[in-house]
Each structure stands twice: as C-alpha cells, then as structure tokens.
Amino acid sequence: MSDSLFADASKRLEKALKYVSISEDAIARLKYPKASLTVSIPVRMDDGSLQIFQGYRVRYDNTRGPAKGGVRYHPKVSLDEVQSLAFWMTFKCAVLDLPFGGGKGGITLNPKELSKLELERLSRGYIDAIADFIGPDVDILAPDVYTNSMIMGWMMDQYCIIRRHISLAVVTGKPLSIGGSVGREEATATGAFFVIESIMPKFKRLPNETTVAVQGFGNAGAVLAELLSQAGYKVVAISDSQGGIYAKKGLNIPSIRQYKASSKGIKAVYCEGSVCNIVEHEVLTNQELLALDVDILIPAALENQITEENVYDVKAKYIFEVANGPITSAADNILAARGIYVVPDILVNAGGVTVSYFEWLQNRSGLYWKLEEVNQRLKAKMVEETERIWSISQELDISMRTAAYVHALNRLGESLDAGGTRDYYINSI
C-alpha cells in the first residue's frame, strides 16, 4: 500500500494537519473512504461476443452533502485510483465551499477500442450496476477522462428508467437539451484561467512576457490554452497522449484545435476557412514538454507526471495543476526546495465541480442561467477562494498546496465535529 496513489495522496493531508486545530475524531474519519463499490459489467459486443468490464464507485465523504465526482474510462482505472480521486474531490468541494462531499467512479478499459453502440451499452450497464449507490441526494456523477456529455446523458437516462421517474440532477455535465448547464464543458479550463489570472499579478508577471507549456490537449487543456492565448500569454508548447509540438514564437491554438478536431492529431498549423498551412515547429514527447524552459507549466493530462525521476528536469517557474495529482508528494517537496511555485489541483481544476454544482442547482430549481451569469458566479467563487488560500499561505509561510488543504480541513473539521466529538461526550457525563 506504501506505493499506492492513495497513500501518496494522503501525505498531503498529514502535512496540513500541523496547521489546523480539528478533533482527532475528524482526522480519523478523513483517513478512510465512507463506502467503496466494485462491480462487473457484462457487455454484448457488436460481434456478438460478451466482455466483462470492471467498474468502481467510491464515496469518500458526505458530511457536507451528497458525494460528487466524475466517471473516467481509462485502461489504468483501479480502485486505488478512484479512491484517491474521491479523496481529492472531498477536499476540492470543501475548498470551494460547495455543499458536496467527494466521490469518483471509473471503468477499466480503452474506450477508443469500443464502438459508440458498445460504449452506450457499457455506460448503461454501469448505471444498472451502481443505481442503488447513487442519486441526486446521495452521489452525483459527472464527466471525467474519456467521458463526455453524451455518455452522461446515457447514464442519466438509464437511472431514470430504473427509478421510473425523471431525475435530471443525478448526473451533471449532460447535454443542454436534457438539463445540462451552459459553461459546464469549458468550466475546468475557465476556472483554471481565473486562478492563473489571480496569481500571476502577485509575482508582477504580465501575460505578454509569460511563456506557457500545456501537457494534455483534451477538453481542459485545449480550452485553457486558447483562453491564455487570447489573454496575451505566449503558449509555446502543447501535447496530447501521442506527443507534442513546440514553437518558440508561440502557437496558434485555435488553428491547432481545428486541425485536431478534423484529424484527431496535433500539428502546428494556421487555418483560414478550410485551408491550413503548416507552421515551423518541433515535435517533442510529453516528457520533453515537461522539461521545457518556460514560465508556466500546466500539467492537464493524468496523475503522476512529475516524479522523483524527472523532477530535476523541470525548468518552469510556476506550475498550475489542471490534472488531478500530476505531481507526486516526493517531487512536490523537491520543487518547493528548488523555488518552483506550485498551485494545487484541488484549487486550480475546481471550476468543473463548481459549475456542476450550478447545474445541480438549476436542475432542482427548474431555473436556468445564461452563460454570462454562470461565468460571473464561477469567477467570483474561484477568485474568492484563491485569495483566501493565498492569504493562508502567506500568513503561515507554507505552500499553496498545504494552504489549500488547511483551508479545506478547517471547513471539513467543523462539519465533522458538528455531530459530536470525544471531548463533547466526555464533558457531558
């Protein structure tokens, strides 16, 4: 267990406990997940064969409200990973002061190997298996790695079929036509952009003087790269699972997104209408991207990308974690010793769950907001909590990551202690 992702994630909690005054009862409860479920999902494939897929759902904590968390489809999904993600989600919701606990789910597979019909059968089968474990007041699902609004729509529909009533709020990140919220698809990137815009002025960094590399050109990474480019930052490198590209003069992100949408690949291109011209660029690996001499590095792919093995290659001055857990705890300590400033995932990528909360509210009220209102509410939340965590880090002279956990622990501890503590019962005898 010592080399598990969850064991490594828990080390961040231990460091923050030195700076908070919460009960031993609360600490004990936060060290273990509330409930874990492992299921087998039989799926009839297009060729008539039957395949069995392994699925998971973890509710880590629900003290502050129903569990909330995404569902990812990936070959490396495991119970250890899902439990770690649910742990992070618990603290993420507390950081943003959302009325949710932390949950997460996943299925072990390579979704690129399945047809759309097979993916639909798999998604509905997953809900068949976990329907008694979830609900709009129990545990709410959302998209994550290799899941999207259509898959969320299938899951919501299947839950409604099982329950025999409409329950839009059981899933967030749905298509707009069946209860989704405007701004949800871009929310992780938009929230991260607000954090970056709040932090960089504190170091007197101007956008047009700041270079950026983004590892991961999926939904969050691609949208964030474009937002930063529009704001004047020089995005010089991006990558996806196949590798990346680098151009010292900067990349035209909209044209690259257009090219990827049509070809499923990445290339430095400039597109006007349907005509695309190749721009001079270097091809590089994901590891080479992490080692680029840039001002800002944005890991927006998967966990454990920066480890003890490659941490000394990192040259960026600032790291904003858009992925969950992209830096191991050991590498984190080395980065801090080297003076590299890291802004943690439980703050940076919290825009997704925040707008999921907005969608849940809209589903339950039947009142839907315009994009401007969603983004205004999101910005207010992200900026407010960024400023609070910055103040804690400065006051206690600790890293932004430890400050974020301190901030979350104070809120979680208060909620956990509201049910009674050892001291309460001893003093009442």
Side-chain angles (χ1 to χ4, degrees), residues 35-112:
S36 301
L37 180 66
T38 300
V39 296
S40 296
I41 310 162
V43 177
R44 184 68 61 188
M45 309 303 283
D46 291 345
D47 64 2
S49 65
L50 185 72
Q51 285 194 33
I52 309 297
F53 296 89
Q54 202 76 11
Y56 308 93
R57 188 71 191 176
V58 174
R59 290 201 302 267
Y60 198 89
D61 181 79
N62 60 359
T63 308
R64 290 170 51 85
K68 182 78 186 72
V71 180
R72 65 173 49 182
Y73 290 177
H74 195 273
K76 293 185 178 180
V77 165
S78 65
L79 181 59
D80 176 57
E81 180 188 51
V82 172
Q83 181 169 287
S84 302
L85 293 164
F87 170 86
W88 284 319
M89 185 61 79
T90 298
F91 288 89
K92 193 181 304 182
C93 290
V95 161
L96 269 294
D97 202 19
L98 307 179
F100 291 140
K104 208 74 178 185
I107 303 175
T108 310
L109 81 153
N110 182 354
K112 297 177 182 179

Side-chain angles (χ1 to χ4, degrees), residues 285-296:
T285 66
N286 272 285
Q287 286 301 311
E288 289 170 336
L289 181 144
L290 294 174
L292 287 174
D293 187 6
V294 293
D295 298 310
I296 295 177

Side-chain angles (χ1 to χ4, degrees), residues 43-46 53 73 107 109-126 146-148 150-151 154-155:
V43 177
R44 184 68 61 188
M45 309 303 283
D46 291 345
F53 296 89
Y73 290 177
I107 303 175
L109 81 153
N110 182 354
K112 297 177 182 179
E113 296 177 352
L114 273 65
S115 71
K116 289 182 179 178
L117 286 172
E118 290 168 340
L119 280 173
E120 180 177 1
R121 290 193 286 270
L122 173 70
S123 302
R124 291 180 181 275
Y126 178 65
Y146 290 129
T147 54
N148 56 24
M150 179 171 285
I151 290 172
W154 292 334
M155 290 184 175

Side-chain angles (χ1 to χ4, degrees), residues 272-318:
E272 186 171 349
S274 60
V275 179
C276 293
N277 298 313
I278 297 175
V279 176
E280 185 177 347
H281 65 280
E282 297 177 33
V283 175
L284 73 172
T285 66
N286 272 285
Q287 286 301 311
E288 289 170 336
L289 181 144
L290 294 174
L292 287 174
D293 187 6
V294 293
D295 298 310
I296 295 177
L297 175 62
I298 299 175
L302 295 171
E303 58 271 1
N304 290 351
Q305 297 300 299
I306 300 176
T307 67
E308 286 180 283
E309 295 179 0
N310 65 355
V311 66
Y312 288 103
D313 297 331
V314 175
K315 301 178 184 68
K317 302 171 185 67
Y318 311 94

Side-chain angles (χ1 to χ4, degrees), residues 18-41:
K18 302 173 185 176
Y19 302 96
V20 296
S21 297
I22 62 175
S23 71
E24 292 182 4
D25 293 16
I27 295 170
R29 288 172 65 180
L30 286 170
K31 288 184 177 179
Y32 301 94
K34 184 77 175 279
S36 301
L37 180 66
T38 300
V39 296
S40 296
I41 310 162

Side-chain angles (χ1 to χ4, degrees), residues 330-349:
D332 212 20
N333 294 332
I334 296 169
L335 290 171
R338 293 181 58 205
I340 296 174
Y341 204 85
V342 178
V343 187
D345 48 2
I346 61 170
L347 170 64
V348 178
N349 69 24

